[in-house]
């Protein structure tokens, strides 16, 4: 069963505009959610995780258990934000299985 | 230590052949993960090691796939009797594995397998 859904494969925004990358999940219990990013010709890397409640590179993500969502947001997009973004869920029941969404390719138009 | 390394970076093989990939994690990282990523999809979890012990395996991992981490350092992933459906990017990641907490996974560059 698919556990992480990213409904948008492609997303384009203009520089300076707000951006929101959607992520919905299905999971029983308390989920542990993450956003990973892959810049062009670079490795997949962690952007942020919900338990840290941190802002990284201006991005934030709030876990909404009622809507089972973990959307990634940034108020003012920058060209260097263009990348592939993956939402991921850690299955605490198994301990260390991670489930990734299909990813959203973000393009920030100058 | 420049991070997680994987070898080879690319592998082209004929259907039915066996292939083996290697992953060298960051030194002293005791957790090691293997993922498979096909075009248009996110990484799919395959298996996970804590030191040399293989603790979890996905149902995606058929009996043609086997992974080892004999000394708790580098790991190998072998695919026997490859099929065209095995064509994918195979990613390795490692994390420190401190007890009682999630640790950031550091990903390698991946091995791209093409089965003809």
């Amino acid at each position: 069963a698919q556990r992480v859904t990213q409904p948008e494969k492609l997303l384009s925004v203009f520089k300076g505009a707000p951006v929101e990358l959607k992520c919905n999940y299905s999971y029983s219990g308390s989920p542990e959610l993450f956003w990973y990013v892959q810049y062009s010709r670079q490795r997949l890397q962690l952007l942020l995780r919900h338990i840290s409640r941190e802002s990284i590179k201006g991005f934030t993500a709030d876990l909404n258990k009622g809507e089972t969502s973990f959307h990634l947001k940034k108020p003012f997009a920058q060209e260097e934000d263009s990348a592939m973004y993956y939402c991921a869920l850690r299955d605490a029941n198994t301990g260390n299985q991670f489930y990734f969404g299909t990813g959203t390719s973000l393009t920030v138009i100058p | 230590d420049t991070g997680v390394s994987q070898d080879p970076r690319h592998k082209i093989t004929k259907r039915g052949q066996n292939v083996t990939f290697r992953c060298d994690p960051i030194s002293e990282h005791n957790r090691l993960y293997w993922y498979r990523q096909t075009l248009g999809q996110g990484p799919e979890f395959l298996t996970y090691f804590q030191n040399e012990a293989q603790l979890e395996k996905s149902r995606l991992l058929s009996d043609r796939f086997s992974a080892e981490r004999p000394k708790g350092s580098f790991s190998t992933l072998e695919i026997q009797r490859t099929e065209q459906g095995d064509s994918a990017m195979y990613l390795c990641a490692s994390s420190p594995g401190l007890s009682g907490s999630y640790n950031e996974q550091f990903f390698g560059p991946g091995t791209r397998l093409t089965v003809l």
Side-chain angles (χ1 to χ4, degrees), chain A residues 73-86:
Chain A
K73 300 177 183 179
K74 184 169 182 176
F76 307 104
Q78 303 299 314
E79 289 179 64
E80 56 265 30
D81 296 329
S82 295
M84 195 74 180
Y85 291 81
Y86 294 96

Side-chain angles (χ1 to χ4, degrees), chain A residues 1 3 9 32 34 36 38 43-46 49 51 86 90-91 94-103, chain B residues 2-5 31 33 35 37 40-43 45 48 56-59 91 102-105 107-109:
Chain A
R3 302 190 186 216
K9 277 219 171 283
E32 198 169 339
F34 311 85
Y36 281 80
Q38 188 166 24
R43 305 176 182 200
L44 194 60
Q45 59 186 283
L46 178 68
R49 50 187 178 239
I51 57 174
Y86 294 96
R90 175 172 170 257
D91 188 341
T94 63
N96 280 287
Q97 287 208 28
F98 283 79
Y99 296 90
F100 284 78
T102 51
Chain B
T2 57
V4 178
S5 61
R31 291 183 181 172
Y33 307 79
Y35 294 86
Q37 186 173 21
Q41 301 296 316
F45 174 86
Y48 151 70
E56 294 177 35
K57 291 172 61 173
S58 166
R59 285 169 291 178
L91 296 169
Y102 165 77
N103 303 121
E104 178 180 350
Q105 293 185 46
F107 281 82

Side-chain angles (χ1 to χ4, degrees), chain B residues 10-21 79 81-84 86-87 112-116:
Chain B
H10 303 275
K11 178 71 177 178
I12 299 174
T13 190
K14 292 183 179 179
R15 187 176 54 188
Q17 298 294 304
N18 299 342
V19 294
T20 300
F21 309 141
I79 309 174
R81 304 181 303 280
T82 52
E83 302 172 355
Q84 288 183 326
D86 297 331
S87 296
R112 182 169 295 284
L113 172 66
T114 301
V115 181
L116 302 176

Side-chain angles (χ1 to χ4, degrees), chain A residues 19-50:
Chain A
V19 60
E20 181 180 55
L21 290 86
K22 292 184 169 50
C23 172
N24 290 89
Y25 67 90
S26 60
Y27 185 70
S28 58
S30 294
E32 198 169 339
L33 287 151
F34 311 85
W35 277 99
Y36 281 80
V37 60
Q38 188 166 24
Y39 300 103
S40 178
R41 290 186 290 278
Q42 293 189 28
R43 305 176 182 200
L44 194 60
Q45 59 186 283
L46 178 68
L47 180 62
L48 55 80
R49 50 187 178 239
H50 90 270

